Amino acid sequence: MFKHSILGAALCWAALTTAIASDDSFTDEQLGFSISKPAAWVFLEEEDVQSRSERLQLSEAAQRALFLQRPRMPLVSIAQQVDSDATQGIVPSVTVVRAEIGGYDGFPASIVMTHSHAKWRVAGQPFKYLTAPRDKSFHGHPAAYSEMSLIVRDASGRDFDVRTRNWLIPRQGYALMIGMSASEDEAEEADEVFDEILETIELF
């Protein structure tokens, strides 16, 4: 079964977190993947990614779908750097996850993506497609792309309108999932940065 949900991961990615000092690029030689970040963005520590769940009000079923079925933490997460004194909210972010696809290996990427989104909807988190999953090439590799909007509620009860852009790229027996999240009022500006980041990704 598909063990990750792009939507579920996007919920976790769309939150404030602290940064660690790092170079401007990340490479995983084993998976054949690299990505670079803008100067004003930061790489995130694993414990920071995990702690984001405490800032969101998710149903028990949704939390289980998001965390208990996940075999590992995200491969890499980056976010726009913010002033530590700034009011917490939705920070533009990009996260890449390696996901096992099991029996869906060999299926069109759009089918795999649709299946993952359906599982998250069943878990109790509503969303609306702005662009339904569709097969689309990513740097010459077969992939799927979608866009969606959703409402995220933080631990204080505040609601945030969030827009996510999602890529799923099948590899050999697994998929790389790229999730890009920002608040609706910052989505247009964030999209320009997201496109710059996507251009730095190399698959080898």
Side-chain angles (χ1 to χ4, degrees):
M1 298 298 291
F2 202 92
K3 295 185 178 181
H4 286 61
S5 166
I6 291 179
L7 176 59
L11 285 172
C12 217
W13 304 337
L16 277 178
T17 171
T18 35
I20 57 172
S22 177
D23 295 330
D24 287 337
S25 63
F26 169 89
T27 300
D28 188 311
E29 295 286 351
Q30 183 176 0
L31 295 182
F33 172 86
S34 68
I35 187 173
S36 298
K37 68 173 185 64
W41 285 49
V42 293
F43 287 107
L44 308 179
E45 293 187 51
E46 180 175 303
E47 54 266 30
D48 293 322
V49 177
Q50 190 170 15
S51 69
R52 295 180 193 187
S53 61
E54 300 175 0
R55 306 185 186 185
L56 304 176
Q57 292 184 349
L58 304 178
S59 68
E60 182 178 349
Q63 290 190 44
R64 184 174 184 83
L66 175 57
F67 295 105
L68 299 186
Q69 295 179 10
R70 190 167 66 194
R72 65 185 67 190
M73 294 298 295
L75 183 64
V76 60
S77 296
I78 58 178
Q80 181 178 320
Q81 190 167 20
V82 296
D83 190 324
S84 59
D85 295 327
T87 301
Q88 293 193 7
I90 303 302
V91 175
S93 58
V94 177
T95 296
V96 182
V97 177
R98 177 191 184 280
E100 303 297 333
I101 58 179
Y104 287 88
D105 191 20
F107 278 64
S110 60
I111 298 298
V112 181
M113 178 179 279
T114 299
H115 174 71
S116 70
H117 291 174
K119 288 182 64 179
W120 185 253
R121 195 189 296 273
V122 169
Q125 176 61 50
F127 63 88
K128 180 178 72 174
Y129 278 124
L130 303 175
T131 301
R134 64 185 185 189
D135 292 308
K136 188 175 181 179
S137 176
F138 183 88
H139 296 348
H141 296 266
Y145 177 78
S146 69
E147 296 181 18
M148 60 180 64
S149 64
L150 60 148
I151 296 176
V152 174
R153 176 169 294 175
D154 68 10
S156 68
R158 294 180 301 169
D159 287 340
F160 298 92
D161 293 322
V162 176
R163 184 184 301 180
T164 72
R165 295 172 56 186
N166 313 293
W167 282 96
L168 183 145
I169 309 161
R171 305 287 270 173
Q172 294 184 345
Y174 67 93
L176 290 176
M177 302 193 308
I178 305 169
M180 300 159 283
S181 300
S183 63
E184 281 286 358
D185 58 358
E186 294 183 314
E188 185 173 341
E189 180 179 355
D191 279 348
E192 297 181 7
V193 184
F194 292 155
D195 287 339
E196 293 176 6
I197 294 172
L198 290 174
E199 284 299 316
T200 73
I201 294 178
E202 295 184 8
L203 302 171
F204 50 91

